[in-house]
Amino acid sequence: MLIRLPRSLAPRRLKCTLAAFFLLISAAAAVACQLCYEAARQMVTIGQRLDMADRAVLAVPFAGATRFRIVEVVKGRDAVGDIIADPPTGLGEAMAPGSDPCLLVRDPFASQWTSLGTIRAEYADWLRQLAATALVKGDRPRPTWPSNMQTSSALSYAGWRQRVALVLPYLENPDPLAAQIAWGELARAPYAIMDVARSRIDAATVVSWLGDPRLASRHAAYTLLLGFVGGPADAARLEQHIEAAWSSHDATNLAAMIGADLELRGPSRVGWVEAMYFADRSRTMPEIEAALLALNVHGDANRTVPRQRVIQAYRAFIRQRPPMAGFVAQQLADWDYWDAATEYAALLKSNTITDPASEFAVVNYLQRAASANAALE
């Protein structure tokens, strides 16, 4: 099939829309935070710092907290009893005598050690196990999230499955740093391996966390976790929350709620998303983006909700909201789905898509479709 791009979108114009396209990518990354959790808003999680470091230790201060003595080695070739002479960065408040050891890390390019917080020495073996998961060989998952979460793919599937299994028992642990590490790793784990949580954590425990306002910043992660460990009663309660959010146009954690609902209910729930968010003209942009993101994650996983069903929903979105058709173009291309090319070419020709970034996304789709078709000839 030969696809001709409209003259109005010649290469010289594409240069003008390139900057706008990168704005579209940035916007998608911001929306992704609703489903891939608050951790996506952090530049680096503690788990990532542990992965990047070539040395990690637990150490206690002495000599007026100007020097530290290593009491446990988490990663690297340091030895228990070694002295760190230079004060680490990130210490914050002065440490009282007898306080828990600091988790100190240092990467090959750093001039100083950095403190990630205090944690009891009894957690040293757990931290060593976490660090070891980064060395597990296996296929690396294709990144589920936009560019701000690309670091998630540094671990293999096998490594991630081991890591999630390791952190689940430490979610909301009495030790604050252990709890933060566990939540952060759950938050950035690829969706495709989250089924490891099934049978490993009680749904009632997750529900209790979701009912705790003090954990509001972690609710998105725990909502998605409930999708893997919950049952029909949890799905019914979740749908009540979604309907309340729909009535009030509240997009807070909406992507996670829809994603969890799809995990619990399966493909039969996709039609509801199409009707309530794609066909309803009163929906706001954050609501629409949240619904698209939830479907995107399931399409990538291609498990509970088959990718083909998500593609059908995306085609419905293109028909019902032609000016926004570019929102799903990149994902369709990433899935090597080219049957939307004729429809996209017609939308460009009719100038239906007026946003430069969306227009660029559609042009990119058509160019990739043309290349894919040429390769088959």
Side-chain angles (χ1 to χ4, degrees):
M1 177 175 61
L2 177 64
I3 300 171
R4 297 187 183 276
L5 299 181
R7 293 180 181 274
S8 61
L9 289 167
R12 60 183 178 82
R13 185 177 177 189
L14 295 186
K15 294 179 181 178
C16 298
T17 60
L18 184 59
F21 180 60
F22 286 116
L23 289 177
L24 176 67
I25 295 175
S26 298
V31 175
C33 299
Q34 299 178 53
L35 185 53
C36 65
Y37 325 119
E38 189 71 20
R41 296 185 184 131
Q42 302 174 18
M43 289 300 293
V44 182
T45 67
I46 294 177
Q48 287 171 289
R49 296 293 300 270
L50 191 60
D51 287 345
M52 292 186 295
D54 62 341
R55 301 164 70 185
V57 300
L58 300 186
V60 294
F62 72 101
T66 60
R67 294 191 293 174
F68 282 74
R69 183 177 66 254
I70 296 175
V71 295
E72 292 282 357
V73 177
V74 174
K75 189 177 182 181
R77 296 183 178 181
D78 295 286
V80 172
D82 284 353
I83 303 300
I84 297 174
D86 297 326
T89 62
L91 286 176
E93 298 180 1
M95 297 183 64
S99 60
D100 291 332
C102 286
L103 173 57
L104 305 180
V105 296
R106 186 166 182 172
D107 65 61
F109 306 104
S111 59
Q112 288 180 281
W113 289 84
T114 297
S115 173
L116 302 181
T118 61
I119 188 169
R120 295 200 297 273
E122 65 194 68
Y123 292 89
D125 188 56
W126 177 64
L127 292 171
R128 282 189 285 267
Q129 293 178 64
L130 285 178
T133 59
L135 304 176
V136 176
K137 296 182 179 179
D139 294 334
R140 290 185 179 180
R142 189 173 77 82
T144 300
W145 321 117
S147 57
N148 62 331
M149 291 296 287
Q150 295 294 305
T151 51
S152 293
S153 64
L155 287 171
S156 66
Y157 274 112
W160 267 117
R161 295 188 74 84
Q162 287 190 17
R163 181 165 288 196
V164 171
L166 281 170
V167 302
L168 286 173
Y170 291 83
L171 292 171
E172 299 315 313
N173 187 272
D175 187 288
L177 189 63
Q180 184 180 354
I181 292 171
W183 164 76
E185 294 312 285
L186 177 73
R188 71 185 186 100
Y191 187 85
I193 57 85
M194 288 292 292
D195 61 335
V196 73
R198 290 194 174 108
S199 77
R200 293 177 182 267
I201 191 167
D202 182 57
T205 300
V206 180
V207 170
S208 70
W209 295 337
L210 290 171
D212 189 342
R214 296 171 300 178
L215 302 178
S217 65
R218 302 181 180 183
H219 280 179
Y222 294 153
T223 296
L224 205 62
L225 181 61
L226 186 64
F228 288 91
V229 303
D234 300 300
R237 285 192 296 269
L238 184 60
E239 286 158 12
Q240 290 178 356
H241 289 298
I242 295 174
E243 289 171 4
W246 185 90
S247 298
S248 61
H249 293 278
D250 184 7
T252 305
N253 294 338
L254 180 60
M257 289 194 292
I258 294 175
D261 192 38
L262 290 171
E263 190 66 47
L264 288 165
R265 297 297 196 189
S268 63
R269 190 66 169 165
V270 177
W272 183 89
V273 175
E274 293 173 329
M276 302 302 285
Y277 288 96
F278 297 168
D280 185 352
R281 290 296 186 271
S282 70
R283 292 304 102 192
T284 64
M285 185 66 73
E287 291 175 279
I288 294 169
E289 290 172 330
L292 287 173
L293 181 60
L295 287 172
N296 176 19
V297 169
H298 277 278
D300 262 333
N302 195 23
R303 184 181 52 210
T304 303
V305 178
R307 180 174 298 171
Q308 189 58 42
R309 180 63 184 93
V310 176
I311 290 173
Q312 292 174 12
Y314 280 5
R315 293 299 299 271
F317 178 80
I318 294 171
R319 292 191 300 270
Q320 293 169 350
R321 295 183 179 270
M324 300 181 185
F327 285 21
V328 299
Q330 181 175 341
Q331 191 58 63
L332 290 174
D334 288 345
W335 292 337
D336 295 324
Y337 178 82
W338 309 118
D339 289 354
T342 301
E343 194 169 358
Y344 270 140
L347 289 173
L348 287 183
K349 186 176 181 179
S350 64
N351 293 321
T352 300
I353 302 173
T354 58
D355 174 64
S358 295
E359 189 177 55
F360 190 97
V362 171
V363 171
N364 182 62
Y365 173 91
L366 292 174
Q367 290 174 334
R368 292 175 65 180
S371 297
N373 288 324
L376 296 175
E377 294 177 355

